[in-house]
Amino acid sequence: MTLLLSGCAGDSTDVQLDAKSDNEQRSPEKATPPMILNSAPQEGRVYLSWGEIDGADRYEVCRSSVAATVTVWPWCESTSHLSATVPALEDGKEYRFRVRAFAAQGLLAQATVAQTPRQRLECSIPQCYGSVACFCAPEQAEEWLQSRQIQPSSLYCRNRKVEQWGASAPDCFYTTANNTGSFLLLRSLDTKFVAPTAPREMSLVRTAAIKALWPKSNPFAQPEEFPVHVDVLPVAIAGAVQAAASATSYGIAYHSLLSSKVTHFVPASPQPGRYAIYHEGHGGAASDIGAGTIDWLLERGWQVFAVDMPLIGANSGDNGSLLNITNYHDDFDKLEDASGNSPVGLFLLPIKSVVDLIFSHTDAEAPSRVLMIGRSGGGWSTYAYSALDPRIDIAVSIAGGVPLSQRLQSEDEEILDVGDYEQSAAHLYNVVAHEDLMIGAGSSAALYIYNQWDGCCYRVRPDEPIVDYLRTAGTAVGKTIDVYVDESNAQHSIGPSGYQRLEAFLDSALNSSSTGTPGP
């Protein structure tokens, strides 16, 4: 049997597996810290991926049969990479896989996962977002490359040249040096969400996600490594918001060529300590597109910070051409720097600055409840960010995203949506899945609002497995997670019944005694 170890820049290797007979291999399982291990089925193979463990110098990958009465690991091999493809498996047969992280001093962490290999024919999408093609198996990507006469030797993964290509190729957003084509290889894309046996611990997800986004420095623990300059703008960006007694706009410079303009709206009679962050998606400015929701919150006493996505809405003045960006978020992979920091982090760092600004208030204005709510891409921003920062007490995502494993389930190609770059970056979602972030979002409560007949994307039915899984997971992790599916609203928005559910949810969450903590 051969284990295919995945990597870039010449680090993909075919290694012959040998049966292990040493005491370490045959010894009983020991209590060790957990790690996150993900798997995706392939024809005759299973793809495994995991997050980097601090201090680990090698990872041991093992395979066993689930049908065995006693779990033994007859085949193992070591790798220094963060993914592996285990081939020569029987389709339709369930296997168990284990990955253990080792350092010189011994075992650091381990995890197991079960997966069943199967044929994948349903996920070859010529244009899944922008001009980017998407595939869930390398064979499909290979056919696409051949049809365009693109040599695999011309490919780059995260700005590193790919020197070997094949079944062991890691999931990645691949580009070519001369921009003749780009595609996403993401094996977790699928047609049906299968619920894990148990949700992952929120602190484990937070740690793993932060490590995947910022591998060398943590912006929460080491803010000095992420300098930010905040200025009060001379004119407030009030947009179409009507219910504010005052508005102050700030410019947040968090990147040499990127900034975020946010507006702080204060109602005439604010409830002490209640702050909300409203985050809009790709449709435009929060103070315009989201004015109805911002007014709704202001009328209930919330102070509201309106935030837009990079290069969108109030941030559209940033010159994408200086960033070598022509397709907005589809080109954000070009912003990866030498430190390995993920461009996905550029969507999240401005939100941290807003939360820092909120927590700079003291005395009577000190925050007692912080709510983050967003629509579409802002809904993704909501659950992605608030899973990293427990200072967000309550998270509300409106049509913001679904697990990658169900993004291909729609029969209507018009609303089939793999998601933009930030929602499909393999280096993040091969470590923590969307459903992991959804469960981690909001330190005390989270609400997910979907539309069954959404005209854009992320349609969800009331009886889908993800609905029950999120609700059940809330009980398991000790907080409220609610899901509301609007069966009448066909817009990519929150409808009248959605507002009713939001009101009841907030009333319940605000009566809870738990609050967010100062930071990760």
Side-chain angles (χ1 to χ4, degrees), residues 7-291:
C8 290
D11 56 9
S12 296
T13 312
D14 291 4
V15 181
Q16 190 68 31
L17 283 172
D18 296 318
K20 298 291 185 181
S21 58
D22 56 271
N23 291 332
E24 176 186 277
Q25 174 60 29
R26 299 296 184 178
S27 62
E29 300 287 351
K30 298 178 181 180
T32 56
M35 59 186 287
I36 293 179
L37 175 60
N38 299 294
S39 65
Q42 300 280 276
E43 183 177 4
R45 306 186 304 273
V46 165
Y47 180 75
L48 303 173
S49 61
W50 56 91
E52 182 180 357
I53 302 298
D54 283 336
D57 55 25
R58 68 183 177 93
Y59 300 91
E60 178 193 68
V61 182
C62 298
R63 183 271 297 162
S64 181
S65 171
V66 169
T69 56
V70 178
T71 301
V72 294
W73 305 97
W75 303 100
C76 296
E77 190 50 71
S78 293
T79 176
S80 60
H81 310 309
L82 301 178
S83 60
T85 300
V86 183
L89 304 178
E90 181 181 341
D91 282 351
K93 178 180 178 180
E94 190 175 29
Y95 294 86
R96 187 178 301 278
F97 304 91
R98 182 183 70 184
V99 172
R100 300 198 293 178
F102 287 93
Q105 64 269 31
L107 181 62
L108 298 179
Q110 68 176 359
T112 61
V113 68
Q115 186 57 266
T116 304
R118 59 181 169 83
Q119 192 174 28
R120 304 297 307 279
L121 298 175
E122 71 281 12
C123 51
S124 178
I125 309 173
Q127 288 185 313
C128 60
Y129 63 86
S131 60
V132 177
C134 291
F135 309 102
C136 71
E139 292 86 353
Q140 300 165 346
E142 176 66 21
E143 292 179 4
W144 183 86
L145 290 171
Q146 291 179 0
S147 69
R148 284 156 179 78
Q149 297 182 332
I150 298 174
Q151 296 299 317
S153 59
S154 69
L155 296 177
Y156 285 79
C157 168
R158 303 194 71 185
N159 290 333
R160 292 188 295 164
K161 191 172 180 58
V162 176
E163 296 181 1
Q164 293 189 22
W165 172 260
S168 62
D171 283 356
C172 194
F173 179 79
Y174 287 93
T175 58
T176 58
N178 56 3
N179 294 318
T180 55
S182 58
F183 66 92
L184 175 69
L185 175 59
L186 193 58
R187 293 169 176 87
S188 56
L189 288 173
D190 215 330
T191 58
K192 183 179 180 181
F193 171 73
V194 177
T197 54
R200 287 160 171 163
E201 182 183 346
M202 290 190 292
S203 61
L204 182 64
V205 169
R206 183 182 307 128
T207 299
I210 290 173
K211 185 74 172 176
L213 290 167
W214 302 286
K216 295 182 180 179
S217 300
N218 179 342
F220 298 96
Q222 300 160 297
E224 67 279 1
E225 299 293 328
F226 299 83
V228 174
H229 186 74
V230 180
D231 284 321
V232 177
L233 300 181
V235 179
I237 306 171
V241 174
Q242 300 294 320
S246 66
T248 304
S249 294
Y250 300 88
I252 301 172
Y254 65 99
H255 181 274
S256 60
L257 293 171
L258 285 174
S259 63
S260 182
K261 296 179 179 64
V262 304
T263 300
H264 178 199
F265 295 101
V266 181
S269 301
Q271 291 282 343
R274 291 189 185 178
Y275 291 85
I277 300 169
Y278 177 82
H279 204 303
E280 185 49 52
H282 297 88
S287 58
D288 290 322
I289 304 296

Side-chain angles (χ1 to χ4, degrees), residues 325-340:
I325 286 177
T326 56
N327 295 313
Y328 289 95
H329 299 163
D330 297 348
D331 284 342
F332 256 57
D333 65 291
K334 298 176 181 177
L335 300 183
E336 185 155 357
D337 58 34
S339 69

